[in-house]
Structures are given as C-alpha cells and as structure tokens.
Amino acid sequence: MKNSIYFRIFIATALIVLLSFSLLGGLSTAISYRRMMADKRAMMISTLNETARYITTQHVHHAINLDDLDLNMWLTMTSGVTGFDLFITNASGVVESCSDKTIVNLGKLVPEGMINSVAINDGIVVLSTLGQIYPERRQVSGLPLMFTRNGEVHIFGYLFVSSDIAAFRQEWNNFFSAFILIALIVMVIAFITAFVAMKKQAEPLNEMAGAARRFARGEFNVRVNNQGRSDEIGQLTEAFNAMADSLESSEQQRRDFIANLSHELKTPMTVIGGFADGLLDGTIPQEDEKRYLGIISSETRRLSRLVRSMQEISMLKGAESPAQLDSSFDISEVVRLALLSLDGKIEERQLDIKAELPDEAILTRGDADSITQVVFNLIDNAIKFSSPGGLIEIDLWKNNTRAYVSITNKGETIPPDELPHIFERFHKADKSRSVNREGVGLGLYIVKMILDNHNEDIFVTSLNGETKFIFSLTIA
C-alpha cells in the first residue's frame, strides 16, 4: 500500500490540504481576532460617548450629583446591557459612582497621569489598572464630562468604561477551540472521503495490474470488471479488456498456427521417412521404387511450397503499405498473365474460362507483383475446387475510384459456418486435409494479407455450388 501511487498522491494531497488549511485557518483566526477586538473597542467608545452625553445632559438640566442613585442605576443598567464596567470620578479623579461596587471601590483615586491623558485624548483605549483601581489590567477608555457656560468649558467629572481582557480572551479561546474542533472534524471527514475515493479509483488499476501479471503467466482469459463506469477509468478498463480479447485471440491463433503447421509438416515428413526407410531396407519391391520415389519427390515439393509460403507471409508482415501504393499497373494485363501461367492446370482439368476483360487498360495503385500473386492464388484456388469440365468466370470492371475483380467457379458449396474462416492460416473446409494434397492452406491467407497491406477489401460468397471471390483496387 505504501508503494501505491494513489497512497503517495493521497499523502501529498493531505499534506498540501493540511498546510493550506492551517495557513488559511491561522490567517482567518488572526483577522477574526483583530476584527473582534476592533468591534469591542468601537462598542466601548460608543458606550462611552452615549453615556457621557446622557450624564452631561442630566447634569446641565437637573444639576444631578455624580453619586446620585438614579445615575448609579443608569450605569448598572448600561453595564448589564453592554457587558462593560463603568464608573464616574469627580474633577479631581475620585471615584463617585460605579456600575459594580465589587469591582471598583468608591473613593479611590484615578492617577493624575491618566486623568490628564483622558482630558487631552478623550476616547483612547489603553491597557491599565488605573492605579490599582482594578486588580488586573483591563482595556480602559475615558472621557471628560463637561459643559459650556458663558463661553467657558467646565469639567465636572470623568467617565471611564473598562472591559475584562481575561473574560474576552476566555470567550475567544472558547470560540477558537470550537473552530479548531470543527476544522479537525471537517478535515478528518475530507481525508476519509478522499482516501475511500482514491482507493475506489485504484481498485480497477490494481485489478489491471493483477490481470497483467496473470497475462505474463499465460492466463489470457482474465478480464477487469468495468462496473458500468463511463469516466476515464471506465474507458481504460474497456481498452484493457479489448486488449485482453485481442491477446487471447492472438494466443489462440498462435496455438492453432503451431498445431496446423505441425500437422502440415508431420504428414509429408512421415510419408517421406516411411517410403525412404522402405526403399533402404528393401521392403518396397524394386519395380515399385520409381513410383514411391515420385511420391517422395511430390511430398518434398509440398514441404518446399510450405516453407516458401511461410517466407512470403513473413515478408508481407514486414512490408510497408505506403511504399506499395506509390506505383501503378494495368490490372487487365495482370489477369491475362495469370491465366497464361495457369493454362496447363486449366487444360489438365478440362475447364472452360469465361473472361470479361475490358479492351482498355485499367490502371490501379499498388505493387504489381503482389496483386499478381493475389490473382494467381484466387484463380489457382478456383481451378482446384472446380468440378472437372466446369466453368470459371472472371470479370473486371470499374466504378468511380475503384476497380473490381470477380473470380467464380462451379464446384462444392462452402458451408456458411466455414466462410468467416476461409482466409485463416491453414484453413480448409475438409478437416482431414486429404482432398487436395497440393495445397498447404496458406493461399487465401496470403491473399488477405496482401490486400490488407493495400487497404483493399475482399468478399466471398458460396451458394448452390457457385463460389465467388471479389476484391477491390484503387484507380490510379
């Protein structure tokens, strides 16, 4: 698991997400803390100004005392609403009234330095104990209480508002702890989801890796479960299974090829070896020696044809199609030359030839020698499987950019289930391979390979004793 690319991607992604989340969380936390502090200070200033305005108004209109019970109650009510502690001093800085006597003792004196600072910079927020008025440092803001009479400003006291930093920090710590807890839960859920998703993504790849290892051991029947996916992994799975089908088919063809080749080699070699031993040990009478030597010669030529066909197949597999398509030739002339070459076999089987060839030349693209072999093999095949004294029809015509060659013979009908396999290596409709001792079962396979190299098509039909092969060529 540790060597899995998905595991490494997951770890790298987790580290990046964790780092990004930490940086973003830290930045957000710092910004939130500063924002909350700023809001709290703004609220303190607002409370300070509103309370000072109320006290000043009451003092001017009603001449209230700073230690008035109603004023004390107003401070207590304001403290309850805002959460801040408030107290008022006289012009000398002595505490006259407060919102909570358990926090601020009446009669205590605010340091002269703080009084002067408030008088000059009203509304400033500082951290201070105000000369031991508070047991701990607090955020404190003050404002002079004053009114104007006859153009003169009179200060009759000072208002102070304070906030407990410890309480604020505890509140912030609680908020921060909840934030961290929620963030950790979200991250754990995200990591678990990502891990499960990546593991799910990796399952087909792991299955493919296992299947590939089994392919290496020769087990070509293994397939990967697609699970109906339509994403890239699903497409890869389909491509992998298609490759597996192709490998299995290729392996089956290889085995069939080896079996067929072994069969094709075994029969003539057995005949040659048996008759040669008979000639050497005198089992065969002297008067029959010539006949058996003829059989040996025939089987030797059969082996030579088989080897030559295998060499042709090897050369065709290595041929480059673009080079073959550069030249052109007259397909009519190719058909005529093939008929002349096979004239002896045609006469031997007393066959009639009906050739419908145009008088004018039909130039087609491709390698003339290769297409000559295609025509020769097809006509030779028609001769072999025609009934004695039968008819072979050869037609040549063109249609737009294509020329077509048709070769028809009268003989036995090829079974429908044999037609799809007619162009396979060593395929013969007669499984005993005894009908035609001259053939090696590679002629039509070579035809198909040549036409495939030329990007051309070939079709075969067989009905009521009439078998027809039609192949196409591109007009030059």
Side-chain angles (χ1 to χ4, degrees):
M1 180 65 180
K2 290 183 179 180
N3 294 326
S4 169
I5 185 172
Y6 273 97
F7 180 77
R8 293 196 293 270
I9 292 174
F10 170 75
I11 294 298
T13 303
L15 291 175
I16 292 173
V17 170
L18 183 60
L19 180 61
S20 301
F21 200 88
S22 299
L23 291 175
L24 183 62
L27 183 61
S28 300
T29 301
I31 293 174
S32 298
Y33 181 81
R34 295 184 64 180
R35 179 102 180 234
M36 289 180 67
M37 289 292 291
D39 289 345
K40 199 168 189 68
R41 288 176 180 177
M43 189 174 178
M44 286 181 63
I45 299 300
S46 175
T47 302
L48 184 68
N49 290 330
E50 292 299 325
T51 305
R53 184 180 299 111
Y54 170 79
I55 295 172
T56 301
T57 302
Q58 293 297 318
H59 181 75
V60 171
H61 291 90
H62 304 288
I64 64 171
N65 296 321
L66 295 180
D67 59 352
D68 186 79
L69 181 62
D70 291 337
L71 180 59
N72 204 331
M73 291 180 62
W74 172 261
L75 295 178
T76 302
M77 183 183 67
T78 303
S79 176
V81 172
T82 62
F84 301 129
D85 183 60
L86 298 92
F87 70 88
I88 301 173
T89 70
N90 58 23
S92 300
V94 178
V95 177
E96 298 284 348
S97 181
C98 65
S99 60
D100 190 347
K101 294 181 181 180
T102 61
I103 299 177
V104 178
N105 294 323
L106 299 178
K108 282 207 169 186
L109 179 65
V110 176
E112 184 179 354
M114 188 63 186
I115 293 294
N116 294 333
S117 176
V118 169
I120 298 172
N121 302 305
D122 58 337
I124 188 173
V125 179
V126 296
L127 286 174
S128 175
T129 61
L130 293 182
Q132 305 304 317
I133 288 181
Y134 294 115
E136 73 284 335
R137 286 160 60 89
R138 284 177 164 236
Q139 279 187 320
V140 180
S141 181
L143 196 67
L145 301 174
M146 54 189 176
F147 62 90
T148 303
R149 180 180 295 169
N150 300 324
E152 295 183 359
V153 176
H154 299 273
I155 296 177
F156 64 90
Y158 295 90
L159 171 66
F160 290 90
V161 176
S162 69
S163 173
D164 187 0
I165 292 296
F168 172 77
R169 286 177 177 169
Q170 183 60 43
E171 180 184 349
W172 170 253
N173 289 336
N174 294 337
F175 166 78
F176 186 71
S177 299
F179 172 80
I180 292 297
L181 180 62
I182 294 173
L184 289 175
I185 293 174
V186 170
M187 289 178 66
V188 169
I189 293 174
F191 288 157
I192 293 175
T193 304
F195 182 79
V196 172
M198 286 189 175
K199 193 173 185 302
K200 193 72 175 176
Q201 290 285 339
E203 284 180 359
L205 299 181
N206 293 332
E207 193 175 352
M208 289 179 202
R213 287 190 288 268
R214 294 178 67 180
F215 288 165
R217 297 195 298 266
E219 301 177 34
F220 294 100
N221 60 338
V222 183
R223 298 295 181 273
V224 178
N225 186 12
N226 190 12
Q227 299 179 346
R229 298 177 61 153
S230 58
D231 56 4
E232 290 81 359
I233 297 295
Q235 295 174 10
L236 179 60
T237 302
E238 291 181 1
F240 185 89
N241 288 336
M243 180 194 69
D245 292 338
S246 178
L247 286 173
E248 185 176 23
S249 176
S250 297
E251 176 64 14
Q252 186 60 44
Q253 290 179 10
R254 184 186 68 83
R255 292 176 180 176
D256 292 343
F257 174 74
I258 293 174
N260 293 331
L261 181 61
S262 300
H263 181 89
E264 292 294 335
L265 291 173
K266 177 182 176 181
T267 303
M269 291 179 68
T270 301
V271 172
I272 292 172
F275 288 158
D277 290 340
L279 290 171
L280 289 173
D281 60 18
T283 303
I284 297 175
Q286 189 173 3
E287 61 272 16
D288 293 332
E289 287 182 359
K290 186 175 182 179
R291 182 165 64 89
Y292 285 107
L293 284 173
I295 295 175
I296 291 174
S297 176
S298 175
E299 293 299 327
T300 303
R301 288 193 299 273
R302 174 174 166 77
L303 283 176
S304 297
R305 287 194 300 272
L306 177 59
V307 172
R308 187 166 58 251
S309 296
M310 295 301 298
Q311 289 176 336
E312 291 175 357
I313 290 173
S314 179
M315 292 176 61
L316 287 171
K317 285 188 175 180
E320 296 183 1
S321 297
Q324 294 177 339
L325 298 178
D326 287 341
S327 58
S328 61
F329 60 93
D330 181 8
I331 184 60
S332 301
E333 187 64 22
V334 167
V335 174
R336 292 188 183 95
L337 290 175
L339 286 172
L340 289 174
S341 300
L342 294 167
D343 185 63
K345 287 188 176 182
I346 294 171
E347 290 292 334
E348 182 182 345
R349 294 185 61 89
Q350 300 178 352
L351 300 174
D352 291 329
I353 302 295
K354 181 182 178 182
E356 296 288 342
L357 305 177
D359 295 332
E360 73 277 4
I362 299 180
L363 296 179
T364 55
R365 289 194 175 278
D367 180 64
D369 292 337
S370 297
I371 300 302
T372 298
Q373 187 173 6
V374 169
V375 177
F376 184 92
N377 286 3
L378 290 176
I379 296 177
D380 185 54
N381 189 75
I383 293 171
K384 291 175 185 177
F385 295 100
S386 291
S387 301
L391 174 67
I392 294 178
E393 298 181 37
I394 302 174
D395 295 311
L396 171 61
W397 71 96
K398 63 179 180 179
N399 183 13
N400 297 326
T401 61
R402 294 279 182 174
Y404 296 91
V405 179
S406 170
I407 301 172
T408 307
N409 72 281
K410 300 292 181 63
E412 293 186 6
T413 303
I414 301 175
D417 59 335
E418 295 287 344
L419 287 177
H421 308 287
I422 200 72
F423 295 106
E424 294 178 1
R425 288 175 294 194
F426 296 113
H427 180 80
K428 292 182 180 180
D430 181 9
K431 298 300 181 183
S432 68
R433 303 181 185 272
S434 62
V435 173
N436 177 26
R437 297 298 301 160
E438 295 296 321
V440 294
L442 292 173
L444 293 179
Y445 177 73
I446 292 174
V447 166
K448 187 70 168 61
M449 283 192 64
I450 292 174
L451 292 175
D452 285 345
N453 286 346
H454 283 71
N455 298 320
E456 302 293 350
D457 299 316
I458 184 168
F459 310 94
V460 58
T461 60
S462 187
L463 187 64
N464 298 327
E466 182 177 280
T467 300
K468 179 184 292 187
F469 288 85
I470 300 176
F471 69 90
S472 64
L473 292 170
T474 303
I475 297 295

